[in-house]
Amino acid sequence: MNDLVRQHTALSESDLEWLHLLVSEWQLLSDLSFADLVLWVPTLDGTRYVSVAQMRPNTGPTSYQDDMVGHLVPRGRRPLLDAALDEGRIVREGDPEWREEVPVRVESIPVRREGRVLGVIARNTNLLTVRTPSRLELTYLQSASDLAQMIAAGSFPFPGQQVDMDASPRAGDGLIRLDADGIVQYASPNALSAYHRLGLASDLVGQHLGQLTADLAPPRGPVDESLAKLASGYAPREAEVEGNDGVIQLRAIPLKPKGTRIGSLVLLRDVTELRRRERELITKDATIREIHHRVKNNLQTVAALLRLQARRMDSDQGREALNEAVRRVGSIAIVHETLSQNLDERVEFDEIADRVLAMVAEISPGKVNCRRTGRFGILDAEVATPLSMVLTEVLQNALEHAFAPGEQGSVEVAALRGGTREEARLLITVRDDGRGLPEGFDPQRTGNLGLQIVRTLVEGELGGSFDMVPAPERGTKVVLDIPVGPEK
């Protein structure tokens, strides 16, 4: 719609915003009218109309099988559009049109904003299925007529009240028509069922909806007077009402076809099961986060016990082995701590990598500068946990074996995320400027326990590749290439 309006018309940005507000609301008009809606706007030279938006009803058959958006028609071909645009009134005169052997009644509704007519809504009703209307259909049609008059007068839609139609109640979900005093004149079967879910034991017709709704809602501190006003339809608002283990969503629409409020429409939907499932998901998420938190605490307890045992060891080799185990346990605890703060099983791994760097740097025998470049991004928990252990082992190996005590140096961790969305990969390079690899060293066959852990996790659990080679100038370079999921 933006492109069509800017290309073909002289409407301003504020006018375009008004049309967007109208289009966000007009599914209601289409459903209440049982009719298709097409929004026509005059072109810049005033000789043609361009259709910029279209809506089909959920309550009846369509009059247009084809998409009408973008069509241009010359002025004079559709007299009802001309009359509505020129005279600024709703035009219903004329005989039905025949489209593919289907009779269609066409009406034109001017779209007014601040006294100016911006365009015309063509309302097209398929007459092939017309039958004697029920009370429900009569209420729908009367409400549609009131809304059409409000559009023609420029009082609908309501400024600043843009509605998300995917989340807001629709006419078919439940509809209540109120008079000017807030008394129920008509309630659809779905609306009555929703109020029965709240605990209503009688009929709705004749009741004051605002007071009734406030009575059915359980007391939560002071009496909620705004709820009673909302359900009475005095202002355009939305709210949810919970009572008797039921939850309904309300939307009030004041009806002012001639400038004075004659009543209101209240759309409502029973969202009890939806809210129950949401609460279950919230509870599940909270439980998962609590489990990660407890696992992190347990791992920290294990690390503390290993640290105490290491202090009591007489053997330097045994003490160092326990300290390595402390760091391995600590790297896993960092991942679980991060997961305990998230709503899903995905973590921002850059923070974890930085914490692992800081933790491993504490064991540096010399003055070694550790830094990270690039970005790991967001990773799934099943990738983040083994990768944190791999990174710990590689860094620990570099700091222990690349530098002599007191020697200065640097270790750099570089991350590069690439590949396609379907085959995303993470390339990690850990480079040091230390003494380099010993003669004849084969990282795939030889190495300490740490390198065995790295090979097992990278190739077995992560499905990637691992290599350790001499750096171009000095030192050692470790290259990890692992597949990762798309970064959502």
Side-chain angles (χ1 to χ4, degrees):
M1 186 167 73
N2 286 349
D3 294 339
L4 289 171
V5 168
R6 290 167 181 158
Q7 179 182 355
H8 294 285
T9 77
L11 297 182
S12 65
E13 290 299 317
S14 58
D15 292 335
L16 177 58
E17 188 61 33
W18 181 263
L19 295 185
H20 274 294
L21 190 60
L22 172 65
V23 168
S24 72
E25 293 274 23
W26 72 344
Q27 179 71 66
L28 175 60
L29 177 62
S30 178
D31 291 345
L32 293 176
S33 303
F34 309 98
D36 291 74
L37 305 178
V38 180
L39 178 57
W40 296 93
V41 180
T43 57
L44 183 62
D45 57 11
T47 62
R48 295 180 296 175
Y49 298 97
V50 58
S51 57
V52 298
Q54 179 180 3
M55 179 58 65
R56 293 183 173 91
N58 294 316
T59 52
T62 183
S63 302
Y64 287 110
Q65 298 300 326
D66 299 327
D67 189 2
M68 294 296 297
V69 175
H71 282 214
L72 290 163
V73 297
R75 185 177 171 89
R77 179 174 295 180
R78 301 195 176 185
L80 296 186
L81 294 181
D82 298 339
L85 183 68
D86 296 339
E87 301 172 21
R89 64 180 179 88
I90 298 175
V91 182
R92 297 189 175 93
E93 299 87 356
D95 297 327
E97 298 180 2
W98 287 84
R99 300 174 188 163
E100 299 179 357
E101 300 183 355
V102 175
V104 177
R105 182 176 64 244
V106 181
E107 304 167 85
S108 295
I109 305 167
V111 178
R112 191 183 303 274
R113 174 179 179 263
E114 296 181 351
R116 297 179 298 113
V117 177
L118 307 183
V120 179
I121 295 176
R123 182 163 55 177
N124 304 269
T125 306
N126 187 326
L127 300 178
L128 199 61
T129 58
V130 170
R131 60 185 186 276
T132 303
S134 65
R135 180 73 186 281
L136 172 67
E137 291 170 331
L138 289 173
T139 303
Y140 271 32
L141 293 172
Q142 180 58 53
S143 301
S145 177
D146 294 336
L147 287 178
Q149 292 181 59
M150 292 170 64
I151 292 173
S155 58
F156 186 83
F158 304 110
Q161 292 286 329
Q162 187 160 355
V163 174
D164 181 4
M165 292 306 298
D166 292 332
S168 205
R170 299 192 178 190
D173 297 325
L175 179 142
I176 298 175
R177 174 87 183 210
L178 307 178
D179 65 14
D181 297 322
I183 305 300
V184 177
Q185 294 180 311
Y186 175 79
S188 70
N190 284 345
L192 185 59
S193 297
Y195 265 83
H196 284 168
R197 188 76 176 264
L198 286 183
L200 178 67
S202 60
D203 196 3
L204 273 172
V205 176
Q207 302 257 28
H208 188 282
L209 189 66
Q211 187 59 52
L212 174 67
T213 304
D215 291 342
L216 291 174
R220 298 177 183 273
V223 176
D224 188 0
E225 295 182 358
S226 63
L227 178 60
K229 291 182 179 179
L230 181 146
S232 299
Y234 291 115
R237 285 184 53 194
E238 292 191 45
E240 285 190 2
V241 180
E242 183 173 356
N244 194 38
D245 296 327
V247 184
I248 63 173
Q249 186 179 13
L250 296 176
R251 183 191 175 199
I253 303 174
L255 297 176
K256 303 177 181 178
K258 296 182 180 180
T260 303
R261 193 175 71 86
I262 63 168
S264 306
L265 277 183
V266 177
L267 306 179
L268 64 153
R269 176 171 56 184
D270 186 344
V271 293
T272 304
E273 293 304 315
L274 178 62
R275 296 297 177 259
R276 182 185 63 81
R277 289 194 296 269
E278 288 178 351
R279 284 193 288 266
E280 288 179 352
L281 288 174
I282 292 173
T283 302
K284 179 182 177 182
D285 289 341
T287 302
I288 292 174
R289 290 198 299 271
E290 178 63 20
I291 290 173
H292 284 302
H293 181 71
R294 294 189 181 188
V295 169
K296 182 263 297 184
N297 289 344
N298 290 338
L299 289 173
Q300 288 180 337
T301 301
V302 171
L305 293 174
L306 291 173
R307 196 176 294 110
L308 287 173
Q309 186 64 45
R311 292 172 183 169
R312 296 174 179 269
M313 292 288 292
D314 296 329
S315 167
D316 292 340
Q317 185 176 5
R319 186 184 306 109
E320 182 56 34
L322 287 177
N323 285 331
E324 288 182 1
V326 168
R327 288 187 286 272
R328 288 167 185 148
V329 172
S331 66
I332 302 175
I334 290 173
V335 177
H336 283 282
E337 181 180 2
T338 305
L339 287 170
S340 70
Q341 300 168 1
N342 290 354
L343 294 176
D344 54 13
E345 292 291 288
R346 296 170 64 81
V347 296
E348 178 64 62
F349 197 79
D350 294 312
E351 178 185 350
I352 294 175
D354 291 339
R355 294 181 62 179
V356 168
L357 270 170
M359 178 182 68
V360 177
E362 295 177 357
I363 69 166
S364 174
K367 298 179 180 180
V368 180
N369 178 36
C370 299
R371 67 180 184 274
R372 172 181 63 87
T373 62
R375 182 173 178 271
F376 289 86
I378 298 176
L379 300 177
D380 291 330
E382 56 264 27
V383 175
T385 301
L387 182 57
S388 67
M389 287 193 64
V390 167
L391 193 59
T392 301
E393 296 298 335
V394 172
L395 289 170
Q396 187 170 284
N397 187 76
L399 293 173
E400 285 183 353
H401 302 292
F403 305 99
E407 184 180 2
Q408 293 186 352
S410 64
V411 176
E412 179 185 13
V413 178
L416 177 63
R417 196 156 183 164
T420 64
R421 182 174 178 82
E422 293 76 16
E423 293 290 337
R425 304 192 71 82
L426 182 61
L427 182 65
I428 305 168
T429 304
V430 181
R431 188 195 309 264
D432 66 68
D433 56 1
R435 68 188 67 173
L437 296 173
E439 189 71 27
F441 180 82
D442 183 0
Q444 303 300 330
R445 297 179 179 273
T446 60
N448 54 22
L449 174 62
L451 290 182
Q452 294 178 21
I453 292 174
V454 170
R455 286 197 297 268
T456 301
L457 291 177
V458 171
E459 297 172 0
E461 190 163 343
L462 293 174
S465 62
F466 158 74
D467 198 9
M468 179 181 288
V469 297
E473 297 180 359
R474 181 189 177 192
T476 306
K477 181 173 71 172
V478 176
V479 180
L480 307 171
D481 186 3
I482 62 173
V484 293
E487 190 169 9
K488 300 176 182 177

PDB file of all heavy atoms in Angstrom, residues 22-41:
ATOM      1  N   LEU A  22      -6.914   2.454   9.304  1.00  0.00           N
ATOM      2  CA  LEU A  22      -8.192   1.936   8.821  1.00  0.00           C
ATOM      3  C   LEU A  22      -8.063   0.478   8.406  1.00  0.00           C
ATOM      4  O   LEU A  22      -8.898  -0.367   8.776  1.00  0.00           O
ATOM      5  CB  LEU A  22      -8.669   2.790   7.644  1.00  0.00           C
ATOM      6  CG  LEU A  22      -9.901   2.270   6.894  1.00  0.00           C
ATOM      7  CD1 LEU A  22     -11.126   2.294   7.795  1.00  0.00           C
ATOM      8  CD2 LEU A  22     -10.142   3.079   5.628  1.00  0.00           C
ATOM      9  N   VAL A  23      -7.018   0.162   7.655  1.00  0.00           N
ATOM     10  CA  VAL A  23      -6.843  -1.205   7.155  1.00  0.00           C
ATOM     11  C   VAL A  23      -6.598  -2.184   8.305  1.00  0.00           C
ATOM     12  O   VAL A  23      -6.978  -3.346   8.227  1.00  0.00           O
ATOM     13  CB  VAL A  23      -5.693  -1.239   6.128  1.00  0.00           C
ATOM     14  CG1 VAL A  23      -5.279  -2.652   5.790  1.00  0.00           C
ATOM     15  CG2 VAL A  23      -6.105  -0.495   4.857  1.00  0.00           C
ATOM     16  N   SER A  24      -5.980  -1.702   9.394  1.00  0.00           N
ATOM     17  CA  SER A  24      -5.773  -2.581  10.539  1.00  0.00           C
ATOM     18  C   SER A  24      -7.086  -2.911  11.244  1.00  0.00           C
ATOM     19  O   SER A  24      -7.147  -3.869  12.022  1.00  0.00           O
ATOM     20  CB  SER A  24      -4.795  -1.936  11.530  1.00  0.00           C
ATOM     21  OG  SER A  24      -5.393  -0.847  12.219  1.00  0.00           O
ATOM     22  N   GLU A  25      -8.133  -2.138  10.988  1.00  0.00           N
ATOM     23  CA  GLU A  25      -9.417  -2.314  11.668  1.00  0.00           C
ATOM     24  C   GLU A  25     -10.511  -2.890  10.773  1.00  0.00           C
ATOM     25  O   GLU A  25     -11.501  -3.405  11.281  1.00  0.00           O
ATOM     26  CB  GLU A  25      -9.910  -0.954  12.192  1.00  0.00           C
ATOM     27  CG  GLU A  25      -9.076  -0.349  13.306  1.00  0.00           C
ATOM     28  CD  GLU A  25      -9.497  -0.845  14.669  1.00  0.00           C
ATOM     29  OE1 GLU A  25     -10.095  -1.938  14.744  1.00  0.00           O
ATOM     30  OE2 GLU A  25      -9.248  -0.135  15.650  1.00  0.00           O
ATOM     31  N   TRP A  26     -10.364  -2.802   9.455  1.00  0.00           N
ATOM     32  CA  TRP A  26     -11.545  -3.021   8.615  1.00  0.00           C
ATOM     33  C   TRP A  26     -11.932  -4.486   8.412  1.00  0.00           C
ATOM     34  O   TRP A  26     -12.927  -4.760   7.777  1.00  0.00           O
ATOM     35  CB  TRP A  26     -11.410  -2.286   7.297  1.00  0.00           C
ATOM     36  CG  TRP A  26     -10.403  -2.855   6.318  1.00  0.00           C
ATOM     37  CD1 TRP A  26      -9.397  -3.739   6.562  1.00  0.00           C
ATOM     38  CD2 TRP A  26     -10.339  -2.536   4.919  1.00  0.00           C
ATOM     39  NE1 TRP A  26      -8.700  -4.001   5.431  1.00  0.00           N
ATOM     40  CE2 TRP A  26      -9.251  -3.272   4.394  1.00  0.00           C
ATOM     41  CE3 TRP A  26     -11.067  -1.725   4.066  1.00  0.00           C
ATOM     42  CZ2 TRP A  26      -8.892  -3.217   3.059  1.00  0.00           C
ATOM     43  CZ3 TRP A  26     -10.699  -1.666   2.733  1.00  0.00           C
ATOM     44  CH2 TRP A  26      -9.638  -2.401   2.241  1.00  0.00           C
ATOM     45  N   GLN A  27     -11.159  -5.422   8.952  1.00  0.00           N
ATOM     46  CA  GLN A  27     -11.635  -6.810   8.947  1.00  0.00           C
ATOM     47  C   GLN A  27     -12.967  -6.901   9.696  1.00  0.00           C
ATOM     48  O   GLN A  27     -13.854  -7.664   9.321  1.00  0.00           O
ATOM     49  CB  GLN A  27     -10.603  -7.721   9.608  1.00  0.00           C
ATOM     50  CG  GLN A  27     -11.032  -9.193   9.676  1.00  0.00           C
ATOM     51  CD  GLN A  27     -11.028  -9.870   8.334  1.00  0.00           C
ATOM     52  OE1 GLN A  27      -9.972 -10.044   7.747  1.00  0.00           O
ATOM     53  NE2 GLN A  27     -12.189 -10.260   7.838  1.00  0.00           N
ATOM     54  N   LEU A  28     -13.114  -6.092  10.758  1.00  0.00           N
ATOM     55  CA  LEU A  28     -14.364  -6.069  11.518  1.00  0.00           C
ATOM     56  C   LEU A  28     -15.526  -5.609  10.636  1.00  0.00           C
ATOM     57  O   LEU A  28     -16.595  -6.225  10.641  1.00  0.00           O
ATOM     58  CB  LEU A  28     -14.217  -5.153  12.729  1.00  0.00           C
ATOM     59  CG  LEU A  28     -15.467  -4.917  13.575  1.00  0.00           C
ATOM     60  CD1 LEU A  28     -15.981  -6.226  14.147  1.00  0.00           C
ATOM     61  CD2 LEU A  28     -15.186  -3.905  14.677  1.00  0.00           C
ATOM     62  N   LEU A  29     -15.331  -4.534   9.879  1.00  0.00           N
ATOM     63  CA  LEU A  29     -16.389  -4.044   8.987  1.00  0.00           C
ATOM     64  C   LEU A  29     -16.735  -5.082   7.931  1.00  0.00           C
ATOM     65  O   LEU A  29     -17.910  -5.293   7.610  1.00  0.00           O
ATOM     66  CB  LEU A  29     -15.942  -2.735   8.327  1.00  0.00           C
ATOM     67  CG  LEU A  29     -16.914  -2.128   7.313  1.00  0.00           C
ATOM     68  CD1 LEU A  29     -18.232  -1.758   7.989  1.00  0.00           C
ATOM     69  CD2 LEU A  29     -16.298  -0.915   6.629  1.00  0.00           C
ATOM     70  N   SER A  30     -15.731  -5.757   7.391  1.00  0.00           N
ATOM     71  CA  SER A  30     -15.965  -6.786   6.381  1.00  0.00           C
ATOM     72  C   SER A  30     -16.777  -7.942   6.949  1.00  0.00           C
ATOM     73  O   SER A  30     -17.738  -8.416   6.337  1.00  0.00           O
ATOM     74  CB  SER A  30     -14.629  -7.289   5.837  1.00  0.00           C
ATOM     75  OG  SER A  30     -14.806  -8.313   4.890  1.00  0.00           O
ATOM     76  N   ASP A  31     -16.417  -8.392   8.147  1.00  0.00           N
ATOM     77  CA  ASP A  31     -17.132  -9.521   8.759  1.00  0.00           C
ATOM     78  C   ASP A  31     -18.562  -9.148   9.130  1.00  0.00           C
ATOM     79  O   ASP A  31     -19.490  -9.942   8.941  1.00  0.00           O
ATOM     80  CB  ASP A  31     -16.381 -10.002   9.997  1.00  0.00           C
ATOM     81  CG  ASP A  31     -15.067 -10.672   9.659  1.00  0.00           C
ATOM     82  OD1 ASP A  31     -14.863 -11.024   8.486  1.00  0.00           O
ATOM     83  OD2 ASP A  31     -14.231 -10.841  10.568  1.00  0.00           O
ATOM     84  N   LEU A  32     -18.754  -7.955   9.671  1.00  0.00           N
ATOM     85  CA  LEU A  32     -20.109  -7.540  10.055  1.00  0.00           C
ATOM     86  C   LEU A  32     -20.982  -7.297   8.831  1.00  0.00           C
ATOM     87  O   LEU A  32     -22.209  -7.462   8.891  1.00  0.00           O
ATOM     88  CB  LEU A  32     -20.043  -6.260  10.893  1.00  0.00           C
ATOM     89  CG  LEU A  32     -19.389  -6.377  12.274  1.00  0.00           C
ATOM     90  CD1 LEU A  32     -19.311  -5.011  12.934  1.00  0.00           C
ATOM     91  CD2 LEU A  32     -20.144  -7.353  13.167  1.00  0.00           C
ATOM     92  N   SER A  33     -20.380  -6.923   7.711  1.00  0.00           N
ATOM     93  CA  SER A  33     -21.134  -6.649   6.484  1.00  0.00           C
ATOM     94  C   SER A  33     -21.338  -7.896   5.637  1.00  0.00           C
ATOM     95  O   SER A  33     -22.104  -7.849   4.662  1.00  0.00           O
ATOM     96  CB  SER A  33     -20.402  -5.602   5.641  1.00  0.00           C
ATOM     97  OG  SER A  33     -20.175  -4.417   6.349  1.00  0.00           O
ATOM     98  N   PHE A  34     -20.635  -8.987   5.938  1.00  0.00           N
ATOM     99  CA  PHE A  34     -20.621 -10.184   5.081  1.00  0.00           C
ATOM    100  C   PHE A  34     -20.179  -9.801   3.667  1.00  0.00           C
ATOM    101  O   PHE A  34     -20.692 -10.325   2.677  1.00  0.00           O
ATOM    102  CB  PHE A  34     -22.003 -10.852   5.020  1.00  0.00           C
ATOM    103  CG  PHE A  34     -22.618 -11.118   6.360  1.00  0.00           C
ATOM    104  CD1 PHE A  34     -23.555 -10.255   6.913  1.00  0.00           C
ATOM    105  CD2 PHE A  34     -22.248 -12.232   7.101  1.00  0.00           C
ATOM    106  CE1 PHE A  34     -24.127 -10.497   8.149  1.00  0.00           C
ATOM    107  CE2 PHE A  34     -22.811 -12.483   8.348  1.00  0.00           C
ATOM    108  CZ  PHE A  34     -23.741 -11.615   8.876  1.00  0.00           C
ATOM    109  N   ALA A  35     -19.236  -8.873   3.553  1.00  0.00           N
ATOM    110  CA  ALA A  35     -18.921  -8.287   2.247  1.00  0.00           C
ATOM    111  C   ALA A  35     -17.415  -8.089   2.090  1.00  0.00           C
ATOM    112  O   ALA A  35     -16.679  -7.932   3.066  1.00  0.00           O
ATOM    113  CB  ALA A  35     -19.631  -6.945   2.079  1.00  0.00           C
ATOM    114  N   ASP A  36     -16.987  -8.086   0.801  1.00  0.00           N
ATOM    115  CA  ASP A  36     -15.620  -7.717   0.457  1.00  0.00           C
ATOM    116  C   ASP A  36     -15.461  -6.202   0.535  1.00  0.00           C
ATOM    117  O   ASP A  36     -16.401  -5.451   0.224  1.00  0.00           O
ATOM    118  CB  ASP A  36     -15.284  -8.172  -0.965  1.00  0.00           C
ATOM    119  CG  ASP A  36     -15.187  -9.679  -1.083  1.00  0.00           C
ATOM    120  OD1 ASP A  36     -16.250 -10.346  -1.063  1.00  0.00           O
ATOM    121  OD2 ASP A  36     -14.074 -10.190  -1.218  1.00  0.00           O
ATOM    122  N   LEU A  37     -14.273  -5.766   0.885  1.00  0.00           N
ATOM    123  CA  LEU A  37     -13.958  -4.347   0.909  1.00  0.00           C
ATOM    124  C   LEU A  37     -12.753  -4.085   0.014  1.00  0.00           C
ATOM    125  O   LEU A  37     -11.768  -4.837   0.070  1.00  0.00           O
ATOM    126  CB  LEU A  37     -13.635  -3.874   2.332  1.00  0.00           C
ATOM    127  CG  LEU A  37     -14.681  -4.140   3.420  1.00  0.00           C
ATOM    128  CD1 LEU A  37     -14.160  -3.634   4.766  1.00  0.00           C
ATOM    129  CD2 LEU A  37     -16.006  -3.495   3.074  1.00  0.00           C
ATOM    130  N   VAL A  38     -12.836  -3.037  -0.789  1.00  0.00           N
ATOM    131  CA  VAL A  38     -11.712  -2.596  -1.620  1.00  0.00           C
ATOM    132  C   VAL A  38     -11.555  -1.100  -1.407  1.00  0.00           C
ATOM    133  O   VAL A  38     -12.526  -0.347  -1.519  1.00  0.00           O
ATOM    134  CB  VAL A  38     -11.933  -2.904  -3.112  1.00  0.00           C
ATOM    135  CG1 VAL A  38     -10.729  -2.413  -3.925  1.00  0.00           C
ATOM    136  CG2 VAL A  38     -12.151  -4.397  -3.341  1.00  0.00           C
ATOM    137  N   LEU A  39     -10.342  -0.680  -1.074  1.00  0.00           N
ATOM    138  CA  LEU A  39     -10.069   0.733  -0.831  1.00  0.00           C
ATOM    139  C   LEU A  39      -9.519   1.369  -2.104  1.00  0.00           C
ATOM    140  O   LEU A  39      -8.453   0.989  -2.595  1.00  0.00           O
ATOM    141  CB  LEU A  39      -9.061   0.885   0.313  1.00  0.00           C
ATOM    142  CG  LEU A  39      -8.626   2.304   0.655  1.00  0.00           C
ATOM    143  CD1 LEU A  39      -9.820   3.186   1.001  1.00  0.00           C
ATOM    144  CD2 LEU A  39      -7.612   2.288   1.800  1.00  0.00           C
ATOM    145  N   TRP A  40     -10.281   2.351  -2.641  1.00  0.00           N
ATOM    146  CA  TRP A  40      -9.897   3.065  -3.857  1.00  0.00           C
ATOM    147  C   TRP A  40      -9.475   4.489  -3.477  1.00  0.00           C
ATOM    148  O   TRP A  40     -10.150   5.154  -2.686  1.00  0.00           O
ATOM    149  CB  TRP A  40     -11.063   3.141  -4.839  1.00  0.00           C
ATOM    150  CG  TRP A  40     -11.523   1.807  -5.348  1.00  0.00           C
ATOM    151  CD1 TRP A  40     -12.508   1.022  -4.831  1.00  0.00           C
ATOM    152  CD2 TRP A  40     -11.005   1.098  -6.481  1.00  0.00           C
ATOM    153  NE1 TRP A  40     -12.651  -0.137  -5.552  1.00  0.00           N
ATOM    154  CE2 TRP A  40     -11.731  -0.113  -6.594  1.00  0.00           C
ATOM    155  CE3 TRP A  40     -10.005   1.374  -7.417  1.00  0.00           C
ATOM    156  CZ2 TRP A  40     -11.495  -1.041  -7.589  1.00  0.00           C
ATOM    157  CZ3 TRP A  40      -9.762   0.444  -8.418  1.00  0.00           C
ATOM    158  CH2 TRP A  40     -10.492  -0.748  -8.497  1.00  0.00           C
ATOM    159  N   VAL A  41      -8.362   4.931  -4.044  1.00  0.00           N
ATOM    160  CA  VAL A  41      -7.845   6.273  -3.789  1.00  0.00           C
ATOM    161  C   VAL A  41      -7.665   6.982  -5.133  1.00  0.00           C
ATOM    162  O   VAL A  41      -7.129   6.387  -6.077  1.00  0.00           O
ATOM    163  CB  VAL A  41      -6.504   6.215  -3.031  1.00  0.00           C
ATOM    164  CG1 VAL A  41      -5.971   7.621  -2.765  1.00  0.00           C
ATOM    165  CG2 VAL A  41      -6.673   5.472  -1.712  1.00  0.00           C
TER     166      VAL A  41
END
